[in-house]
Amino acid sequence: MLITLEQAKEAIRLYPQLTTEMKISGQALDVYLFVRVRAKGVTTDEVSSVWGISIQHSNQIMKTLIKKGYVTRKESRQESGGYEFIYKSI
């Protein structure tokens, strides 16, 4: 489910309250909202690139969001034979 522009504006207005209620950092809330608007899901590489953070930090934020029940993770095979995780909001 994508959020509407009105919902995004409301999230921004409630930002300080959301970080407290969701018990996540401001940066994790930024990432969560990014995941919410990306219906196809995101990878940690995308999160890292968009937010200018390390892959390790991106992984840690996603682990936190999974643990708190805000996102899910699905393994996806790549043509190269490797795999990556796709994260989607719940």
Side-chain angles (χ1 to χ4, degrees):
M1 175 179 164
L2 293 176
I3 62 173
T4 65
L5 180 59
E6 291 77 26
Q7 289 170 322
K9 287 179 181 178
E10 182 70 0
I12 291 167
R13 186 181 71 75
L14 294 173
Y15 192 89
Q17 182 181 346
L18 284 173
T19 56
T20 301
E21 286 180 11
M22 293 176 75
K23 296 183 179 10
I24 58 175
S25 69
Q27 191 168 44
L29 179 58
D30 290 341
V31 171
Y32 170 70
L33 294 174
F34 174 64
V35 174
R36 282 290 305 252
V37 299
R38 299 287 302 266
K40 69 176 182 115
V42 301
T43 65
T44 52
D45 286 342
E46 291 171 320
V47 170
S48 177
S49 175
V50 168
W51 296 106
I53 59 178
S54 70
I55 295 289
Q56 293 81 7
H57 191 137
S58 177
N59 281 326
Q60 187 59 46
I61 289 172
M62 298 315 289
K63 284 179 184 178
T64 297
L65 293 175
I66 289 170
K67 182 178 178 183
K68 296 202 177 272
Y70 298 122
V71 299
T72 61
R73 179 176 84 171
K74 181 180 177 184
E75 189 176 301
S76 174
R77 284 268 181 213
Q78 295 181 328
E79 289 181 18
S80 64
Y83 67 92
E84 65 183 350
F85 292 110
I86 306 295
Y87 298 88
K88 292 185 177 184
S89 69
I90 295 176

